[in-house]
Amino acid sequence: MTMPTLLDVIAAAERLRGRIVRTPLVSSPSLSGTRTSSVFLKLETHQTTGSFKLRGVSNMLLLSGQNAKGFVAASTGNHARALAYAAQQMGKPCTVCMSKLVPENKVQAVQALGANIKIVGASQDDAQEEVDRLVLSEGLLAVPPFDDKRVIAGQGTIALEILAENPHIDTLLVPLSGGGLAGGIAMAAKSIKPSVRVIGISMAKGAAMVASLQAGKPVTVTEEPSLADSLGGGIGIPNHYTFDLCKTYLDDTLLLTEDEIAAGIRHAYRYEQEIVEGAGAVGIAALLADKVRSSGTVAVVVSGKNIDMAVHQALISENQKI
């Protein structure tokens, strides 16, 4: 099983041209100076569907989905939004399986993008079983959220854009969950500029990839509620690609408390005028918490904006209990 390479990422970038937003890389005066000399924010919050996920999903569908009857996935958030949008752009049907515990606002957000929603069971494991059944019974193409070469290559295009726009970047701060984003970016960035440091950042509660890297193999963890809910979940056992990519290419990992993540969300709103979900705010949060120091130039991947707005309002009003 061959790992994705820089050539896969370059091909993905060409494939995605005109189909995704080339998101802005903006200077952050509020984060530059004391903690590091210069900080830039890669705003995937400006991506269509509000997160980086559209890159990987679109690359997979363009490569392998032209002859598919339709697509299916188990997701409650950004992956589902991306799949629904990309399938709609291709004129193909899309089914998203969710458990009955998923809040109605999340169901409606995906449904609004044209997806057929199937509510199954009381967990995402139950939802995944329905995905597997639909693949066999209806011939739908399953679209995995991270552990897939085509998806990883799509996410890696973020590194190409960052280094093309600012080749002086010395350190990349990337949200770390299943490893498709962090692994893809780290592999692509280091293939272009081996000296660049790539740090994966997650929440202290239930960080599966960090626990797996510490154990030296993929392991399961107990999933806990977190403001960075998009970083939750397992990495898959077996894991085919992302564990090895993160093990090979990440220079370090960092874990953040809920209070630190909340501070990152507040800072993004007050000083950057950006609405950012918890997972997207972890790089900013790590800088604010003095967990990253660099005398060089830092790029922070701000991965998405799809936060519950009632939670966001409470956080920026500092009324939310963590």
Side-chain angles (χ1 to χ4, degrees):
M1 193 175 295
T2 58
M3 290 289 119
T5 68
L6 179 61
L7 290 178
D8 296 315
V9 178
I10 293 170
E14 287 299 315
R15 202 172 289 118
L16 295 174
R17 193 181 303 276
R19 293 179 177 269
I20 61 164
V21 174
R22 186 182 176 99
T23 53
L25 182 70
V26 301
S27 175
S28 173
S30 69
L31 292 169
S32 302
T34 56
R35 296 167 184 85
T36 184
S37 62
S38 186
V39 176
F40 290 81
L41 305 178
K42 179 62 169 171
L43 295 175
E44 286 296 293
T45 48
H46 292 216
Q47 189 58 257
T48 310
T49 74
S51 88
F52 73 95
K53 286 285 189 177
L54 188 61
R55 295 172 181 268
V57 165
S58 296
N59 189 50
M60 178 179 173
L61 267 55
L62 290 167
L63 265 175
S64 305
Q66 301 291 351
N67 297 319
K69 291 172 59 178
F71 311 110
V72 63
S75 172
T76 64
N78 289 331
H79 181 61
R81 291 176 190 237
L83 177 57
Y85 178 85
Q88 190 177 63
Q89 294 300 107
M90 291 181 69
K92 301 261 189 179
C94 162
T95 298
V96 174
C97 300
M98 300 181 179
S99 84
K100 60 187 178 184
L101 299 181
V102 176
E104 184 61 25
N105 66 308
K106 288 193 173 185
V107 175
Q108 291 177 354
V110 178
Q111 211 162 26
L113 290 167
N116 171 43
I117 306 295
K118 295 203 75 171
I119 306 297
V120 184
S123 72
Q124 281 305 101
D125 288 340
D126 294 336
Q128 184 58 50
E129 287 182 10
E130 180 66 8
V131 169
D132 297 339
R133 188 188 71 78
L134 290 171
V135 169
L136 292 173
S137 66
E138 298 187 18
L140 300 181
L141 177 66
V143 182
F146 56 88
D147 194 29
D148 180 276
K149 282 181 68 172
R150 299 156 293 187
V151 171
I152 294 164
Q155 321 305 27
T157 59
I158 293 172
L160 300 189
E161 292 177 13
I162 291 172
L163 291 175
E165 193 160 340
N166 190 337
H168 302 296
I169 297 293
D170 299 302
T171 302
L172 285 166
L173 306 183
V174 188
L176 176 60
S177 180
L181 178 65
I185 286 177
M187 176 272 292
K190 284 181 173 287
S191 298
I192 297 167
K193 185 178 180 179
S195 63
V196 72
R197 292 175 66 226
V198 185
I199 300 173
I201 308 173
S202 197
M203 67 290 186
K205 305 197 305 185
M209 182 60 81
V210 175
S212 297
L213 292 171
Q214 290 172 345
K217 63 180 181 179
V219 297
T220 58
V221 298
T222 301
E223 191 169 348
E224 299 182 55
S226 172
L227 286 172
D229 56 326
S230 297
L231 301 185
I235 69 166
I237 300 174
N239 178 286
H240 302 293
Y241 301 103
T242 60
F243 174 77
D244 285 339
L245 283 174
C246 289
K247 181 180 178 182
T248 301
Y249 293 104
L250 287 183
D251 293 285
D252 200 1
T253 59
L254 295 173
L255 297 177
L256 299 175
T257 68
E258 295 300 294
D259 284 334
E260 288 167 342
I261 295 167
I265 294 170
R266 291 190 193 104
H267 184 96
Y269 184 76
R270 291 174 180 167
Y271 296 96
E272 310 295 343
Q273 291 77 53
E274 292 287 334
I275 294 173
V276 178
E277 63 187 85
V282 294
I284 293 171
L287 288 169
L288 292 173
D290 286 326
K291 292 189 172 179
V292 177
R293 288 187 173 272
S294 169
S295 59
T297 304
V298 176
V300 179
V301 177
V302 184
S303 57
K305 69 175 184 181
N306 295 318
I307 188 172
D308 184 304
M309 290 309 296
V311 172
H312 189 269
Q313 178 61 39
L315 280 169
I316 63 172
S317 301
E318 297 188 345
N319 295 327
Q320 178 79 0
K321 292 183 179 179
I322 306 302

